[in-house]
């Protein structure tokens, strides 16, 4: 998966959705002053920054397996304890956080149940463990139009629709399998405006994530076919892209 790209490339494709989603996610979890927070799979720091604004850099830690993302997040968020690592093997002792969050990460974990279980391990008894994942299975993820166009030009069915937690109810099932308690499921929605088709399309050419992997496998002719298919599916600019994520909040211990 191409998450070794520059942080700015990720920001241009997914950051435009993950930044407003972070605001909604923090509000859902009710992050309050004085709580020690962990951001699992922090990327370049969209959610981390929102946590810092709530509790201060000294009470926030973060982890991500991508070296470029860790470096970018450290530069952007001085004073935050940001470490390389994976959800399945968090580099922290037991029960050190009040809240552990994973935004748009569970569906990329190699073992989602193990990752959620680890989040519970590092969270104090009764603390909050929460995650959100785009509703890709329901066609409400931010890249749904792109993947629909891929299918129309004869490409593979979007792999994102089959990833863990993207179908209704599945994220909650993963939380239950991880041994977490008081599980509550909801959804979060964001809306992003685009002034032009070019502004929407260009970030897909930067090699980010599954969409970037697919684009990198196309020759110039294939890319042009896909670009035209996307343009036909979208309304005339300016237009809005609505995206919805499943969100689950639970308790550790």
């Amino acid at each position: 998966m191409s998450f070794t790209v520059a942080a700015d490339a990720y920001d241009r494709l997914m950051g435009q959705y993950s930044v407003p989603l972070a605001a909604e996610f923090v509000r859902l979890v009710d992050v309050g002053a004085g709580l020690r927070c962990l951001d699992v799979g922090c990327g370049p720091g969209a959610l981390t920054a929102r946590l810092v604004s709530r509790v201060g850099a000294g009470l926030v830690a973060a982890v991500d397996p991508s070296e470029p993302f860790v470096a970018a997040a450290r530069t952007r968020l001085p004073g935050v304890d940001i470490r390389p690592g994976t959800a399945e093997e968090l580099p922290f002792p037991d029960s050190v956080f009040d809240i552990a969050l994973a935004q748009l990460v569970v569906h990329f974990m190699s073992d989602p149940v193990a990752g959620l279980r680890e989040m519970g391990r590092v969270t104090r008894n009764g603390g909050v463990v929460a995650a959100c994942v785009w509703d890709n299975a329901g066609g409400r993820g931010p890249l749904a139009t792109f993947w629909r166009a891929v299918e129309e030009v004869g490409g593979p069915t979007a792999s994102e629709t089959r990833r863990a937690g993207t179908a209704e109810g599945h994220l909650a099932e993963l939380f239950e399998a991880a041994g977490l308690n008081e599980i509550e499921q909801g959804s979060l929605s964001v809306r992003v405006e685009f002034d032009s088709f070019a502004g929407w399309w260009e970030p897909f050419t930067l090699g980010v994530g599954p969409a970037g992997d697919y684009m990198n496998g196309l020759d110039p002719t294939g890319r042009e076919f896909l670009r035209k298919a996307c343009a036909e599916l979208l309304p005339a600019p300016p237009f809005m892209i609505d995206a919805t994520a499943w969100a689950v909040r639970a308790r550790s211990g």
Side-chain angles (χ1 to χ4, degrees), residues 158-207:
S159 62
E160 291 188 335
T161 65
R162 298 187 295 273
R163 289 188 177 275
T166 63
E168 184 174 6
H170 190 228
L171 187 57
E173 291 174 7
L174 294 172
F175 269 68
E176 184 176 5
L180 297 163
N181 305 309
E182 299 180 35
I183 298 168
E184 302 175 58
Q185 177 177 282
S187 63
L188 303 168
S189 296
V190 298
R191 169 171 282 191
V192 179
E193 182 175 8
F194 291 88
D195 294 329
S196 66
F197 172 76
W200 178 89
W201 168 256
E202 193 270 340
F204 286 97
T205 69
L206 302 178

mmCIF file of all heavy atoms in Angstrom, residues 158-207:
data_model
loop_
_atom_site.group_PDB
_atom_site.id
_atom_site.type_symbol
_atom_site.label_atom_id
_atom_site.label_comp_id
_atom_site.label_asym_id
_atom_site.label_seq_id
_atom_site.Cartn_x
_atom_site.Cartn_y
_atom_site.Cartn_z
ATOM 1 N N ALA A 158 -13.541 -2.295 -6.653
ATOM 2 C CA ALA A 158 -12.762 -1.585 -5.638
ATOM 3 C C ALA A 158 -12.460 -2.469 -4.430
ATOM 4 O O ALA A 158 -13.371 -2.949 -3.766
ATOM 5 C CB ALA A 158 -13.513 -0.337 -5.194
ATOM 6 N N SER A 159 -11.179 -2.672 -4.165
ATOM 7 C CA SER A 159 -10.795 -3.496 -3.026
ATOM 8 C C SER A 159 -11.201 -2.842 -1.710
ATOM 9 O O SER A 159 -11.393 -3.530 -0.706
ATOM 10 C CB SER A 159 -9.285 -3.723 -3.035
ATOM 11 O OG SER A 159 -8.585 -2.495 -2.917
ATOM 12 N N GLU A 160 -11.366 -1.531 -1.708
ATOM 13 C CA GLU A 160 -11.706 -0.828 -0.478
ATOM 14 C C GLU A 160 -13.077 -1.225 0.056
ATOM 15 O O GLU A 160 -13.333 -1.116 1.248
ATOM 16 C CB GLU A 160 -11.647 0.687 -0.700
ATOM 17 C CG GLU A 160 -10.235 1.198 -0.905
ATOM 18 C CD GLU A 160 -10.175 2.714 -0.933
ATOM 19 O OE1 GLU A 160 -11.195 3.348 -1.268
ATOM 20 O OE2 GLU A 160 -9.118 3.261 -0.614
ATOM 21 N N THR A 161 -13.952 -1.705 -0.810
ATOM 22 C CA THR A 161 -15.297 -2.078 -0.358
ATOM 23 C C THR A 161 -15.292 -3.375 0.432
ATOM 24 O O THR A 161 -16.271 -3.691 1.101
ATOM 25 C CB THR A 161 -16.253 -2.234 -1.554
ATOM 26 O OG1 THR A 161 -15.827 -3.338 -2.364
ATOM 27 C CG2 THR A 161 -16.293 -0.960 -2.393
ATOM 28 N N ARG A 162 -14.197 -4.110 0.372
ATOM 29 C CA ARG A 162 -14.126 -5.392 1.073
ATOM 30 C C ARG A 162 -13.213 -5.330 2.293
ATOM 31 O O ARG A 162 -12.969 -6.354 2.928
ATOM 32 C CB ARG A 162 -13.633 -6.479 0.107
ATOM 33 C CG ARG A 162 -14.558 -6.708 -1.084
ATOM 34 C CD ARG A 162 -14.114 -7.894 -1.907
ATOM 35 N NE ARG A 162 -12.809 -7.673 -2.533
ATOM 36 C CZ ARG A 162 -12.638 -7.077 -3.710
ATOM 37 N NH1 ARG A 162 -13.681 -6.621 -4.383
ATOM 38 N NH2 ARG A 162 -11.421 -6.934 -4.225
ATOM 39 N N ARG A 163 -12.740 -4.172 2.627
ATOM 40 C CA ARG A 163 -11.818 -4.055 3.762
ATOM 41 C C ARG A 163 -12.561 -4.092 5.092
ATOM 42 O O ARG A 163 -13.752 -3.787 5.172
ATOM 43 C CB ARG A 163 -10.992 -2.772 3.634
ATOM 44 C CG ARG A 163 -9.972 -2.841 2.513
ATOM 45 C CD ARG A 163 -9.036 -1.640 2.520
ATOM 46 N NE ARG A 163 -8.037 -1.786 1.486
ATOM 47 C CZ ARG A 163 -6.890 -2.459 1.630
ATOM 48 N NH1 ARG A 163 -6.617 -3.029 2.797
ATOM 49 N NH2 ARG A 163 -6.031 -2.537 0.650
ATOM 50 N N ALA A 164 -11.832 -4.445 6.128
ATOM 51 C CA ALA A 164 -12.410 -4.616 7.461
ATOM 52 C C ALA A 164 -13.074 -3.339 7.952
ATOM 53 O O ALA A 164 -12.523 -2.248 7.826
ATOM 54 C CB ALA A 164 -11.313 -5.030 8.442
ATOM 55 N N GLY A 165 -14.279 -3.491 8.477
ATOM 56 C CA GLY A 165 -14.973 -2.384 9.113
ATOM 57 C C GLY A 165 -15.724 -1.455 8.197
ATOM 58 O O GLY A 165 -16.397 -0.534 8.663
ATOM 59 N N THR A 166 -15.654 -1.667 6.874
ATOM 60 C CA THR A 166 -16.281 -0.727 5.948
ATOM 61 C C THR A 166 -17.759 -1.014 5.703
ATOM 62 O O THR A 166 -18.463 -0.180 5.132
ATOM 63 C CB THR A 166 -15.556 -0.708 4.589
ATOM 64 O OG1 THR A 166 -15.666 -1.993 3.968
ATOM 65 C CG2 THR A 166 -14.084 -0.361 4.766
ATOM 66 N N ALA A 167 -18.240 -2.182 6.122
ATOM 67 C CA ALA A 167 -19.659 -2.520 5.983
ATOM 68 C C ALA A 167 -20.388 -2.225 7.292
ATOM 69 O O ALA A 167 -19.798 -2.301 8.376
ATOM 70 C CB ALA A 167 -19.821 -3.994 5.626
ATOM 71 N N GLU A 168 -21.641 -1.886 7.175
ATOM 72 C CA GLU A 168 -22.430 -1.543 8.360
ATOM 73 C C GLU A 168 -22.390 -2.669 9.389
ATOM 74 O O GLU A 168 -22.659 -3.821 9.088
ATOM 75 C CB GLU A 168 -23.883 -1.268 7.962
ATOM 76 C CG GLU A 168 -24.746 -0.818 9.124
ATOM 77 C CD GLU A 168 -26.144 -0.416 8.709
ATOM 78 O OE1 GLU A 168 -26.486 -0.588 7.523
ATOM 79 O OE2 GLU A 168 -26.883 0.092 9.570
ATOM 80 N N GLY A 169 -22.042 -2.311 10.619
ATOM 81 C CA GLY A 169 -22.019 -3.262 11.712
ATOM 82 C C GLY A 169 -20.711 -4.004 11.890
ATOM 83 O O GLY A 169 -20.443 -4.545 12.972
ATOM 84 N N HIS A 170 -19.864 -4.031 10.859
ATOM 85 C CA HIS A 170 -18.652 -4.851 10.961
ATOM 86 C C HIS A 170 -17.622 -4.254 11.909
ATOM 87 O O HIS A 170 -16.922 -4.990 12.623
ATOM 88 C CB HIS A 170 -18.020 -5.077 9.594
ATOM 89 C CG HIS A 170 -16.919 -6.100 9.608
ATOM 90 N ND1 HIS A 170 -15.696 -5.896 9.031
ATOM 91 C CD2 HIS A 170 -16.867 -7.334 10.182
ATOM 92 C CE1 HIS A 170 -14.936 -6.952 9.232
ATOM 93 N NE2 HIS A 170 -15.615 -7.844 9.912
ATOM 94 N N LEU A 171 -17.515 -2.934 11.949
ATOM 95 C CA LEU A 171 -16.554 -2.306 12.862
ATOM 96 C C LEU A 171 -16.905 -2.642 14.311
ATOM 97 O O LEU A 171 -16.032 -2.968 15.117
ATOM 98 C CB LEU A 171 -16.526 -0.797 12.642
ATOM 99 C CG LEU A 171 -15.452 -0.007 13.389
ATOM 100 C CD1 LEU A 171 -14.053 -0.521 13.059
ATOM 101 C CD2 LEU A 171 -15.561 1.482 13.052
ATOM 102 N N ALA A 172 -18.190 -2.607 14.634
ATOM 103 C CA ALA A 172 -18.622 -2.966 15.990
ATOM 104 C C ALA A 172 -18.312 -4.433 16.287
ATOM 105 O O ALA A 172 -17.930 -4.776 17.418
ATOM 106 C CB ALA A 172 -20.117 -2.694 16.145
ATOM 107 N N GLU A 173 -18.452 -5.295 15.280
ATOM 108 C CA GLU A 173 -18.121 -6.705 15.477
ATOM 109 C C GLU A 173 -16.637 -6.887 15.794
ATOM 110 O O GLU A 173 -16.261 -7.717 16.630
ATOM 111 C CB GLU A 173 -18.488 -7.501 14.230
ATOM 112 C CG GLU A 173 -19.984 -7.609 13.982
ATOM 113 C CD GLU A 173 -20.298 -8.289 12.664
ATOM 114 O OE1 GLU A 173 -19.338 -8.791 12.015
ATOM 115 O OE2 GLU A 173 -21.467 -8.305 12.261
ATOM 116 N N LEU A 174 -15.793 -6.112 15.156
ATOM 117 C CA LEU A 174 -14.356 -6.191 15.420
ATOM 118 C C LEU A 174 -14.047 -5.730 16.847
ATOM 119 O O LEU A 174 -13.203 -6.331 17.533
ATOM 120 C CB LEU A 174 -13.593 -5.330 14.416
ATOM 121 C CG LEU A 174 -13.656 -5.792 12.954
ATOM 122 C CD1 LEU A 174 -13.022 -4.745 12.047
ATOM 123 C CD2 LEU A 174 -12.958 -7.133 12.778
ATOM 124 N N PHE A 175 -14.725 -4.695 17.301
ATOM 125 C CA PHE A 175 -14.551 -4.229 18.673
ATOM 126 C C PHE A 175 -14.950 -5.316 19.669
ATOM 127 O O PHE A 175 -14.271 -5.539 20.671
ATOM 128 C CB PHE A 175 -15.394 -2.976 18.909
ATOM 129 C CG PHE A 175 -14.686 -1.682 18.623
ATOM 130 C CD1 PHE A 175 -14.329 -1.345 17.321
ATOM 131 C CD2 PHE A 175 -14.377 -0.791 19.634
ATOM 132 C CE1 PHE A 175 -13.678 -0.156 17.044
ATOM 133 C CE2 PHE A 175 -13.734 0.394 19.382
ATOM 134 C CZ PHE A 175 -13.372 0.719 18.072
ATOM 135 N N GLU A 176 -16.058 -5.983 19.379
ATOM 136 C CA GLU A 176 -16.519 -7.049 20.269
ATOM 137 C C GLU A 176 -15.516 -8.193 20.302
ATOM 138 O O GLU A 176 -15.193 -8.737 21.377
ATOM 139 C CB GLU A 176 -17.889 -7.557 19.811
ATOM 140 C CG GLU A 176 -18.485 -8.607 20.730
ATOM 141 C CD GLU A 176 -19.881 -9.021 20.309
ATOM 142 O OE1 GLU A 176 -20.352 -8.563 19.258
ATOM 143 O OE2 GLU A 176 -20.501 -9.809 21.056
ATOM 144 N N ALA A 177 -14.986 -8.564 19.143
ATOM 145 C CA ALA A 177 -14.008 -9.644 19.072
ATOM 146 C C ALA A 177 -12.720 -9.292 19.815
ATOM 147 O O ALA A 177 -12.015 -10.182 20.309
ATOM 148 C CB ALA A 177 -13.694 -9.969 17.613
ATOM 149 N N ALA A 178 -12.433 -7.987 19.909
ATOM 150 C CA ALA A 178 -11.229 -7.529 20.606
ATOM 151 C C ALA A 178 -11.427 -7.450 22.113
ATOM 152 O O ALA A 178 -10.498 -7.101 22.843
ATOM 153 C CB ALA A 178 -10.802 -6.170 20.068
ATOM 154 N N GLY A 179 -12.631 -7.756 22.597
ATOM 155 C CA GLY A 179 -12.889 -7.786 24.024
ATOM 156 C C GLY A 179 -13.203 -6.445 24.647
ATOM 157 O O GLY A 179 -13.116 -6.290 25.873
ATOM 158 N N LEU A 180 -13.605 -5.481 23.831
ATOM 159 C CA LEU A 180 -13.959 -4.166 24.355
ATOM 160 C C LEU A 180 -15.414 -4.142 24.805
ATOM 161 O O LEU A 180 -16.224 -4.968 24.380
ATOM 162 C CB LEU A 180 -13.674 -3.104 23.299
ATOM 163 C CG LEU A 180 -12.179 -3.016 22.931
ATOM 164 C CD1 LEU A 180 -11.970 -2.290 21.622
ATOM 165 C CD2 LEU A 180 -11.399 -2.335 24.051
ATOM 166 N N ASN A 181 -15.755 -3.180 25.652
ATOM 167 C CA ASN A 181 -17.061 -3.164 26.317
ATOM 168 C C ASN A 181 -17.852 -1.897 25.983
ATOM 169 O O ASN A 181 -17.306 -0.925 25.481
ATOM 170 C CB ASN A 181 -16.864 -3.237 27.841
ATOM 171 C CG ASN A 181 -16.030 -4.427 28.256
ATOM 172 O OD1 ASN A 181 -16.309 -5.549 27.856
ATOM 173 N ND2 ASN A 181 -14.990 -4.179 29.045
ATOM 174 N N GLU A 182 -19.144 -1.941 26.297
ATOM 175 C CA GLU A 182 -20.044 -0.793 26.112
ATOM 176 C C GLU A 182 -19.919 -0.207 24.710
ATOM 177 O O GLU A 182 -19.744 0.996 24.507
ATOM 178 C CB GLU A 182 -19.758 0.286 27.164
ATOM 179 C CG GLU A 182 -19.954 -0.180 28.596
ATOM 180 C CD GLU A 182 -19.673 0.920 29.609
ATOM 181 O OE1 GLU A 182 -19.980 2.098 29.310
ATOM 182 O OE2 GLU A 182 -19.142 0.601 30.687
ATOM 183 N N ILE A 183 -20.033 -1.063 23.717
ATOM 184 C CA ILE A 183 -19.808 -0.682 22.322
ATOM 185 C C ILE A 183 -20.996 0.098 21.766
ATOM 186 O O ILE A 183 -22.133 -0.351 21.841
ATOM 187 C CB ILE A 183 -19.548 -1.948 21.479
ATOM 188 C CG1 ILE A 183 -18.275 -2.655 21.975
ATOM 189 C CG2 ILE A 183 -19.433 -1.602 20.003
ATOM 190 C CD1 ILE A 183 -18.099 -4.045 21.406
ATOM 191 N N GLU A 184 -20.708 1.256 21.197
ATOM 192 C CA GLU A 184 -21.729 2.098 20.573
ATOM 193 C C GLU A 184 -21.304 2.411 19.145
ATOM 194 O O GLU A 184 -20.171 2.820 18.908
ATOM 195 C CB GLU A 184 -21.889 3.417 21.334
ATOM 196 C CG GLU A 184 -22.263 3.265 22.790
ATOM 197 C CD GLU A 184 -22.275 4.616 23.485
ATOM 198 O OE1 GLU A 184 -23.027 5.508 23.046
ATOM 199 O OE2 GLU A 184 -21.512 4.784 24.442
ATOM 200 N N GLN A 185 -22.228 2.217 18.196
ATOM 201 C CA GLN A 185 -21.925 2.503 16.797
ATOM 202 C C GLN A 185 -22.730 3.697 16.299
ATOM 203 O O GLN A 185 -23.904 3.843 16.631
ATOM 204 C CB GLN A 185 -22.221 1.303 15.895
ATOM 205 C CG GLN A 185 -21.991 1.592 14.403
ATOM 206 C CD GLN A 185 -22.224 0.391 13.534
ATOM 207 O OE1 GLN A 185 -21.393 -0.502 13.440
ATOM 208 N NE2 GLN A 185 -23.391 0.348 12.877
ATOM 209 N N GLY A 186 -22.088 4.531 15.507
ATOM 210 C CA GLY A 186 -22.766 5.661 14.874
ATOM 211 C C GLY A 186 -22.109 5.945 13.537
ATOM 212 O O GLY A 186 -21.399 5.105 12.977
ATOM 213 N N SER A 187 -22.337 7.132 13.012
ATOM 214 C CA SER A 187 -21.700 7.525 11.762
ATOM 215 C C SER A 187 -21.353 9.008 11.801
ATOM 216 O O SER A 187 -21.938 9.779 12.565
ATOM 217 C CB SER A 187 -22.606 7.229 10.560
ATOM 218 O OG SER A 187 -23.812 7.993 10.633
ATOM 219 N N LEU A 188 -20.383 9.378 10.978
ATOM 220 C CA LEU A 188 -19.919 10.756 10.873
ATOM 221 C C LEU A 188 -19.902 11.136 9.401
ATOM 222 O O LEU A 188 -19.523 10.321 8.552
ATOM 223 C CB LEU A 188 -18.499 10.893 11.450
ATOM 224 C CG LEU A 188 -18.291 10.449 12.905
ATOM 225 C CD1 LEU A 188 -16.799 10.386 13.210
ATOM 226 C CD2 LEU A 188 -18.993 11.399 13.853
ATOM 227 N N SER A 189 -20.284 12.364 9.086
ATOM 228 C CA SER A 189 -20.322 12.798 7.688
ATOM 229 C C SER A 189 -19.591 14.116 7.494
ATOM 230 O O SER A 189 -19.591 14.971 8.382
ATOM 231 C CB SER A 189 -21.774 12.944 7.217
ATOM 232 O OG SER A 189 -22.435 11.693 7.229
ATOM 233 N N VAL A 190 -18.955 14.247 6.327
ATOM 234 C CA VAL A 190 -18.279 15.490 5.966
ATOM 235 C C VAL A 190 -18.673 15.859 4.539
ATOM 236 O O VAL A 190 -19.095 15.004 3.753
ATOM 237 C CB VAL A 190 -16.750 15.371 6.080
ATOM 238 C CG1 VAL A 190 -16.342 15.065 7.514
ATOM 239 C CG2 VAL A 190 -16.197 14.315 5.132
ATOM 240 N N ARG A 191 -18.498 17.117 4.200
ATOM 241 C CA ARG A 191 -18.790 17.609 2.845
ATOM 242 C C ARG A 191 -17.640 18.493 2.395
ATOM 243 O O ARG A 191 -17.228 19.407 3.124
ATOM 244 C CB ARG A 191 -20.109 18.381 2.827
ATOM 245 C CG ARG A 191 -20.363 19.135 1.535
ATOM 246 C CD ARG A 191 -21.764 19.697 1.479
ATOM 247 N NE ARG A 191 -22.737 18.650 1.141
ATOM 248 C CZ ARG A 191 -23.998 18.907 0.821
ATOM 249 N NH1 ARG A 191 -24.466 20.147 0.831
ATOM 250 N NH2 ARG A 191 -24.814 17.915 0.500
ATOM 251 N N VAL A 192 -17.105 18.218 1.206
ATOM 252 C CA VAL A 192 -15.969 18.968 0.672
ATOM 253 C C VAL A 192 -16.356 19.536 -0.688
ATOM 254 O O VAL A 192 -16.889 18.828 -1.539
ATOM 255 C CB VAL A 192 -14.725 18.073 0.534
ATOM 256 C CG1 VAL A 192 -13.554 18.851 -0.057
ATOM 257 C CG2 VAL A 192 -14.341 17.500 1.901
ATOM 258 N N GLU A 193 -16.076 20.817 -0.890
ATOM 259 C CA GLU A 193 -16.416 21.483 -2.148
ATOM 260 C C GLU A 193 -15.210 21.545 -3.071
ATOM 261 O O GLU A 193 -14.093 21.804 -2.634
ATOM 262 C CB GLU A 193 -16.928 22.904 -1.882
ATOM 263 C CG GLU A 193 -17.351 23.625 -3.152
ATOM 264 C CD GLU A 193 -17.969 24.988 -2.899
ATOM 265 O OE1 GLU A 193 -17.941 25.439 -1.736
ATOM 266 O OE2 GLU A 193 -18.483 25.603 -3.860
ATOM 267 N N PHE A 194 -15.453 21.329 -4.371
ATOM 268 C CA PHE A 194 -14.415 21.425 -5.393
ATOM 269 C C PHE A 194 -14.826 22.480 -6.421
ATOM 270 O O PHE A 194 -15.932 22.447 -6.950
ATOM 271 C CB PHE A 194 -14.206 20.073 -6.078
ATOM 272 C CG PHE A 194 -13.590 19.048 -5.168
ATOM 273 C CD1 PHE A 194 -14.400 18.254 -4.351
ATOM 274 C CD2 PHE A 194 -12.221 18.902 -5.105
ATOM 275 C CE1 PHE A 194 -13.832 17.316 -3.501
ATOM 276 C CE2 PHE A 194 -11.649 17.963 -4.252
ATOM 277 C CZ PHE A 194 -12.458 17.174 -3.444
ATOM 278 N N ASP A 195 -13.901 23.380 -6.715
ATOM 279 C CA ASP A 195 -14.173 24.454 -7.667
ATOM 280 C C ASP A 195 -14.004 24.013 -9.109
ATOM 281 O O ASP A 195 -14.501 24.676 -10.025
ATOM 282 C CB ASP A 195 -13.244 25.648 -7.402
ATOM 283 C CG ASP A 195 -13.524 26.313 -6.070
ATOM 284 O OD1 ASP A 195 -14.691 26.291 -5.630
ATOM 285 O OD2 ASP A 195 -12.577 26.849 -5.466
ATOM 286 N N SER A 196 -13.273 22.904 -9.314
ATOM 287 C CA SER A 196 -13.031 22.438 -10.682
ATOM 288 C C SER A 196 -12.841 20.934 -10.689
ATOM 289 O O SER A 196 -12.489 20.323 -9.659
ATOM 290 C CB SER A 196 -11.770 23.105 -11.257
ATOM 291 O OG SER A 196 -10.612 22.673 -10.550
ATOM 292 N N PHE A 197 -13.033 20.323 -11.850
ATOM 293 C CA PHE A 197 -12.758 18.893 -11.973
ATOM 294 C C PHE A 197 -11.273 18.625 -11.799
ATOM 295 O O PHE A 197 -10.880 17.636 -11.149
ATOM 296 C CB PHE A 197 -13.221 18.364 -13.331
ATOM 297 C CG PHE A 197 -12.793 16.944 -13.577
ATOM 298 C CD1 PHE A 197 -13.450 15.895 -12.955
ATOM 299 C CD2 PHE A 197 -11.713 16.662 -14.406
ATOM 300 C CE1 PHE A 197 -13.041 14.571 -13.156
ATOM 301 C CE2 PHE A 197 -11.305 15.352 -14.615
ATOM 302 C CZ PHE A 197 -11.966 14.308 -13.982
ATOM 303 N N ALA A 198 -10.423 19.495 -12.332
ATOM 304 C CA ALA A 198 -8.973 19.306 -12.215
ATOM 305 C C ALA A 198 -8.544 19.269 -10.753
ATOM 306 O O ALA A 198 -7.671 18.482 -10.370
ATOM 307 C CB ALA A 198 -8.236 20.414 -12.959
ATOM 308 N N GLY A 199 -9.154 20.110 -9.936
ATOM 309 C CA GLY A 199 -8.819 20.121 -8.519
ATOM 310 C C GLY A 199 -9.193 18.823 -7.825
ATOM 311 O O GLY A 199 -8.534 18.415 -6.857
ATOM 312 N N TRP A 200 -10.246 18.176 -8.309
ATOM 313 C CA TRP A 200 -10.648 16.867 -7.765
ATOM 314 C C TRP A 200 -9.737 15.767 -8.290
ATOM 315 O O TRP A 200 -9.321 14.884 -7.537
ATOM 316 C CB TRP A 200 -12.098 16.583 -8.141
ATOM 317 C CG TRP A 200 -12.619 15.255 -7.684
ATOM 318 C CD1 TRP A 200 -13.227 14.965 -6.491
ATOM 319 C CD2 TRP A 200 -12.585 14.014 -8.427
ATOM 320 N NE1 TRP A 200 -13.558 13.632 -6.434
ATOM 321 C CE2 TRP A 200 -13.175 13.026 -7.599
ATOM 322 C CE3 TRP A 200 -12.098 13.652 -9.686
ATOM 323 C CZ2 TRP A 200 -13.312 11.707 -8.015
ATOM 324 C CZ3 TRP A 200 -12.220 12.332 -10.099
ATOM 325 C CH2 TRP A 200 -12.830 11.374 -9.276
ATOM 326 N N TRP A 201 -9.408 15.783 -9.584
ATOM 327 C CA TRP A 201 -8.688 14.695 -10.239
ATOM 328 C C TRP A 201 -7.202 14.667 -9.921
ATOM 329 O O TRP A 201 -6.638 13.595 -9.667
ATOM 330 C CB TRP A 201 -8.871 14.812 -11.760
ATOM 331 C CG TRP A 201 -7.963 13.935 -12.556
ATOM 332 C CD1 TRP A 201 -6.847 14.299 -13.254
ATOM 333 C CD2 TRP A 201 -8.082 12.508 -12.755
ATOM 334 N NE1 TRP A 201 -6.261 13.228 -13.859
ATOM 335 C CE2 TRP A 201 -7.010 12.108 -13.575
ATOM 336 C CE3 TRP A 201 -8.996 11.549 -12.311
ATOM 337 C CZ2 TRP A 201 -6.819 10.787 -13.955
ATOM 338 C CZ3 TRP A 201 -8.805 10.229 -12.686
ATOM 339 C CH2 TRP A 201 -7.733 9.859 -13.499
ATOM 340 N N GLU A 202 -6.548 15.796 -9.907
ATOM 341 C CA GLU A 202 -5.092 15.830 -9.813
ATOM 342 C C GLU A 202 -4.528 15.067 -8.621
ATOM 343 O O GLU A 202 -3.522 14.347 -8.754
ATOM 344 C CB GLU A 202 -4.615 17.287 -9.798
ATOM 345 C CG GLU A 202 -3.121 17.466 -10.003
ATOM 346 C CD GLU A 202 -2.349 17.445 -8.700
ATOM 347 O OE1 GLU A 202 -2.957 17.662 -7.632
ATOM 348 O OE2 GLU A 202 -1.130 17.201 -8.741
ATOM 349 N N PRO A 203 -5.126 15.130 -7.413
ATOM 350 C CA PRO A 203 -4.571 14.362 -6.285
ATOM 351 C C PRO A 203 -4.536 12.857 -6.501
ATOM 352 O O PRO A 203 -3.712 12.166 -5.882
ATOM 353 C CB PRO A 203 -5.504 14.740 -5.127
ATOM 354 C CG PRO A 203 -6.008 16.102 -5.474
ATOM 355 C CD PRO A 203 -6.189 16.048 -6.964
ATOM 356 N N PHE A 204 -5.395 12.334 -7.376
ATOM 357 C CA PHE A 204 -5.369 10.892 -7.645
ATOM 358 C C PHE A 204 -4.106 10.475 -8.395
ATOM 359 O O PHE A 204 -3.771 9.292 -8.435
ATOM 360 C CB PHE A 204 -6.601 10.477 -8.455
ATOM 361 C CG PHE A 204 -7.874 10.451 -7.661
ATOM 362 C CD1 PHE A 204 -8.744 11.533 -7.697
ATOM 363 C CD2 PHE A 204 -8.203 9.369 -6.876
ATOM 364 C CE1 PHE A 204 -9.918 11.528 -6.961
ATOM 365 C CE2 PHE A 204 -9.377 9.342 -6.134
ATOM 366 C CZ PHE A 204 -10.238 10.433 -6.175
ATOM 367 N N THR A 205 -3.414 11.411 -8.996
ATOM 368 C CA THR A 205 -2.207 11.104 -9.773
ATOM 369 C C THR A 205 -0.950 11.073 -8.917
ATOM 370 O O THR A 205 0.149 10.850 -9.446
ATOM 371 C CB THR A 205 -2.016 12.142 -10.886
ATOM 372 O OG1 THR A 205 -1.672 13.418 -10.320
ATOM 373 C CG2 THR A 205 -3.285 12.292 -11.723
ATOM 374 N N LEU A 206 -1.070 11.265 -7.605
ATOM 375 C CA LEU A 206 0.093 11.419 -6.729
ATOM 376 C C LEU A 206 0.569 10.123 -6.086
ATOM 377 O O LEU A 206 1.493 10.120 -5.276
ATOM 378 C CB LEU A 206 -0.219 12.458 -5.646
ATOM 379 C CG LEU A 206 -0.615 13.838 -6.164
ATOM 380 C CD1 LEU A 206 -0.958 14.765 -5.008
ATOM 381 C CD2 LEU A 206 0.493 14.437 -7.026
ATOM 382 N N GLY A 207 -0.099 9.006 -6.394
ATOM 383 C CA GLY A 207 0.376 7.709 -5.924
ATOM 384 C C GLY A 207 0.019 7.356 -4.501
ATOM 385 O O GLY A 207 0.723 6.573 -3.857
#
